[in-house]
Amino acid sequence: MDLVVGIDIGGTKTKIGLVDNKGVCLEQTFFRTKEYLELDAYLEQVKKTCDELIANLDFTPNILGCGIGAPNASSKRGTIESAANLAWKGSVPILERLKEKWNVPMRIMNDASAAALGELMFGRGKEMTDFIAITLGTGFGAGIVANGQLIDGYDGFAGELGHVDMTVGDGRLTGLGVRGGLEAYVSATGLKRTIMYMLSKYMDESRFRNVAYNDLHGEEITQAAEEGDTIALRAFDYTARMMALALANFTAFTQPEAFILMGGLVNSGKWILEPLDKYFNEYLLQVYKGKVKILESGMEGKTAAICGAAALIWEKNR
């Protein structure tokens, strides 16, 4: 049976899985990225984890290759370039170094672009030629598909929409140091910062009055909204309005049929999605109104990033 190894490198976790040609993840696991400060030790753990996953199968697979999604990854260079949330700084030749340990075909791509390719092959994008995949985790990532093709860019860094300057905001810094950048507002991290902003701006009673920033968790903010906490509701509304304005602006570039959302912030459900839909349709240019959908990912949430990475290899083995 042909399988592909999909690796999603995140600042907190590295997720690895074995994916078939229909985007089904047969085996998966993870380890903590932050525990490996040296690249060589990290890559040894990657190889060890892959070997263990393959050994767990009750058959001997034919491994077609390994696809990797990572922040600030250049598909053209095979490198990770100055990723804000990873310990390895500068230009990291990760593909070259991993190939020294494991001689299989490999590709690497920005994680959000890999997610878009996964949607194109395995998810909601299968029936579309134009869409933008949005990843809403610690940061804000975007992968753009236009005319049925992933837009990778001259140097492999197309789609860094999370670092577009949203000057209507209060000048927060993104992970790459962009003041007023979108991901500083629209992300799991941005939502936490907005809770603190709302606490300082309004005097409403809230369960978060005595909670430190580092003790805030997205699940608690969602629960507070369900309980009618006005600070939580204001934070979701503010986040949705910022995202809606950005998505309306992005629509003018490629006129996507849909924005496909995935990541932790989407788990907040109606508290983020309902105001997003309302503001988005308000901000859209008249010529686009009623033509652009906002959808949740068609790939299973816990394996979407792994399958997106695996799609880098499956794309070449259709």
Side-chain angles (χ1 to χ4, degrees), residues 34-52:
K34 292 183 177 180
E35 292 181 5
Y36 300 89
L37 301 181
E38 298 296 327
L39 180 62
D40 193 64
Y42 173 80
L43 295 178
E44 287 286 353
Q45 181 61 33
V46 167
K47 179 59 167 61
K48 176 184 175 184
T49 303
C50 291
D51 289 342
E52 290 172 349

Side-chain angles (χ1 to χ4, degrees), residues 124 128 130-134 161 246-252 254 256-261 280 284 292-297:
R124 290 190 183 274
M128 299 183 196
D130 297 86
F131 66 88
I132 298 178
I134 301 292
L161 301 182
L247 298 190
N249 287 338
F250 299 156
T251 298
T254 61
E257 179 181 346
F259 288 95
I260 301 175
L261 311 183
F280 179 62
L284 273 178
V292 188
K293 299 185 285 286
I294 294 179
L295 305 171
E296 293 183 59
S297 173

